[in-house]
Amino acid sequence: MNTHDANVYRRTLTSGTISVTRHKGVAALESLFDIAERRNPKRAFLFVSKVLGRHIPVSPTIMRSVFRQLSELFPQDLPGPVLFIGMAETAVGLGAGVFDELRERVGDPVYLTSTRHPVDGELLCEFKEAHSHATDHLLYLPADPEMRRRVQQAQTVVLIDDEATTGNTFINLLAALRDDGGLTSLRQVVTVTLTDWSHDALEAGCPLPVHSLSLVSGQWSWEPVPDAPVPVMPQVNVTATGTFAPSSKQTWGRLGMMKPAADLAPDVTVQPGEKILVLGTGEFVWEPFLLAERLEAMGAEVKYSSTTRSPIATGFAIQSALSFTDNYGLGIPNFVYNVAHQSFDRILLCAETPAESIDALLLTGLKNVADSVEIITYE
């Protein structure tokens, strides 16, 4: 960072310089995010959250405090049912955390996540995230009758993502919910992000009242370096069924959630002070987070992070990377960032697919930084 103004963040990357200016919010910019270089020709930079538990391992206590801070920004008396939607893959856990903080405070709450892993169920709608490394999202209707009623009769929709840069993904999702999903009862929209650089784009393009909530909002600008090399993106833009199906225990949002199950690995115990990394995989991050939170409460020194299909260059916010193949059997490159340069007593790798779906390359990489690596599944 090459500036002394607390409201301005500037980082010079290989292909250009990103400048971020804060307009609202009190959190220190560098406490919320750092910048990395994407391996994506559509957008050269990535906001890497320091509080999300995705690309940088973080304490569950910090993550929970962020869920709480966001929940405290919510307006009172939102008309229910209230449908919360977390965006795959990055904000599946963030969305669940915000939902968890608010589910006792709003009428008829229900949580859904978008997904890139088709499951048995009735499709509610599809939408696009144009700048992403994986553009196609699916949203399913819950099979449970009460959850389905809450989705179909929702009067408030809460759209949750880690950050908004243009607002276009929210605009696309909202149009799909109303036009294709038949959610004609919607009366208002709440958007929730850690950082919002979208300049109220949704408000400008939305026929419904919008409340935009974030820890920090402002604007960004990008000055490209002329003739900078264009990055080559791995083939990660896949929305499909692989050889390893997700567990039938769809209790965390892909087919709806009304309250957390908190039933992953109930028998796992820890020693006080034990240094543990809990790793979620892909979209399976909420139940692993609850496990990490439980182990932290038992006295372990716990960090939480997740595997991802997001292709990011090392350097800047990314100090180390492990590369391997996804656990759904799709042959997609997957990554663990900022773990390989650390050390832990134990790593708990949590998956919604069978243990044999985990790439040996990932296990080898993790065993280089921990005395013990355990695969946690529902099976």
Side-chain angles (χ1 to χ4, degrees):
M1 190 159 52
N2 345 328
T3 179
H4 299 294
D5 185 342
N7 290 313
V8 179
Y9 176 105
R10 187 173 290 116
R11 180 75 79 195
T12 299
L13 307 177
T14 308
S15 52
T17 298
I18 174 111
S19 299
V20 179
T21 304
R22 169 175 52 199
H23 295 161
K24 292 182 189 170
V26 295
L29 297 181
E30 62 270 24
S31 74
L32 288 180
F33 66 87
D34 200 351
I35 297 289
E37 296 201 89
R38 283 175 184 257
R39 291 195 284 151
N40 183 341
K42 288 183 278 190
R43 185 182 289 167
F45 60 89
L46 180 74
F47 290 92
V48 177
S49 171
K50 293 181 176 179
V51 298
L52 189 66
R54 174 65 71 173
H55 307 105
I56 296 175
V58 62
S59 142
T61 297
I62 290 175
M63 294 172 65
R64 179 63 75 175
S65 74
V66 165
F67 305 154
R68 201 155 286 147
Q69 287 171 57
L70 287 168
S71 74
E72 287 165 359
L73 301 174
F74 267 69
Q76 299 295 312
D77 304 321
L78 290 172
V82 181
L83 167 59
F84 294 75
I85 299 177
M87 308 289 274
E89 75 183 347
T90 307
V92 164
L94 175 66
V98 171
F99 170 78
D100 196 29
E101 290 295 320
L102 287 160
R103 62 191 171 87
E104 305 281 356
R105 290 170 33 198
V106 300
D108 287 356
V110 61
Y111 180 62
L112 275 184
T113 77
S114 73
T115 183
R116 298 182 178 111
H117 298 285
V119 291
D120 287 336
E122 185 182 338
L123 208 58
L124 174 65
C125 64
E126 304 176 54
F127 65 99
K128 297 272 186 187
E129 183 181 8
H131 68 266
S132 175
H133 52 275
T135 55
D136 297 345
H137 290 254
L138 309 174
L139 261 182
Y140 284 92
L141 268 171
D144 174 84
E146 176 56 20
M147 283 199 274
R148 180 177 282 233
R149 180 193 73 78
R150 293 182 184 192
V151 170
Q152 292 176 322
Q153 296 178 10
Q155 294 197 56
T156 300
V157 64
V158 181
L159 308 179
I160 305 150
D161 209 349
D162 58 319
E163 48 107 8
T165 38
T166 63
N168 287 337
T169 306
F170 284 154
I171 291 169
N172 294 347
L173 169 53
L174 193 61
L177 288 171
R178 299 177 81 211
D179 300 341
D180 305 327
L183 300 194
T184 53
S185 299
L186 290 176
R187 288 169 48 193
Q188 62 177 313
V189 182
V190 180
T191 66
V192 182
T193 53
L194 296 168
T195 53
D196 184 354
W197 319 117
S198 68
H199 258 297
D200 300 331
L202 184 58
E203 286 91 324
C206 181
L208 300 172
V210 178
H211 301 276
S212 293
L213 312 178
S214 62
L215 297 182
V216 162
S217 63
Q219 66 186 74
W220 57 268
S221 62
W222 174 250
E223 303 159 40
V225 171
D227 305 320
V230 176
V232 177
M233 184 167 72
Q235 280 299 102
V236 295
N237 189 10
V238 179
T239 298
T241 305
T243 50
F244 294 106
S247 165
S248 59
K249 283 191 87 163
Q250 294 289 314
T251 53
W252 48 264
R254 200 183 274 139
L255 289 173
M257 172 172 69
M258 289 198 292
K259 64 178 189 206
D263 60 354
L264 182 67
D267 300 332
V268 169
T269 59
V270 292
Q271 300 300 317
E274 198 174 2
K275 201 171 174 190
I276 292 179
L277 174 68
V278 178
L279 263 183
T281 45
E283 295 172 14
F284 185 62
V285 293
W286 175 240
E287 283 293 333
F289 164 77
L290 292 176
L291 171 63
E293 196 171 45
R294 180 172 72 79
L295 300 181
E296 189 179 46
M298 294 171 73
E301 184 185 323
V302 181
K303 291 286 175 69
Y304 181 76
S305 197
S306 320
T307 70
T308 176
R309 63 166 80 180
S310 183
I312 315 174
T314 50
F316 306 102
I318 305 299
Q319 294 180 54
S320 63
L322 295 172
S323 180
F324 50 97
T325 302
D326 78 281
N327 56 297
Y328 297 93
L330 291 164
I332 298 173
N334 269 212
F335 310 94
V336 169
Y337 296 114
N338 290 314
V339 167
H341 67 284
Q342 302 200 55
S343 66
F344 300 92
D345 297 324
R346 283 166 76 189
I347 294 178
L348 305 180
L349 176 64
C350 305
E352 60 170 345
T353 50
E356 62 267 23
S357 69
I358 304 297
D359 187 351
L361 267 179
L362 172 58
L363 295 176
T364 301
L366 296 178
K367 283 170 182 169
N368 287 333
V369 298
D371 300 332
S372 163
V373 177
E374 300 162 49
I375 300 173
I376 305 286
T377 68
Y378 282 123
E379 275 67 42

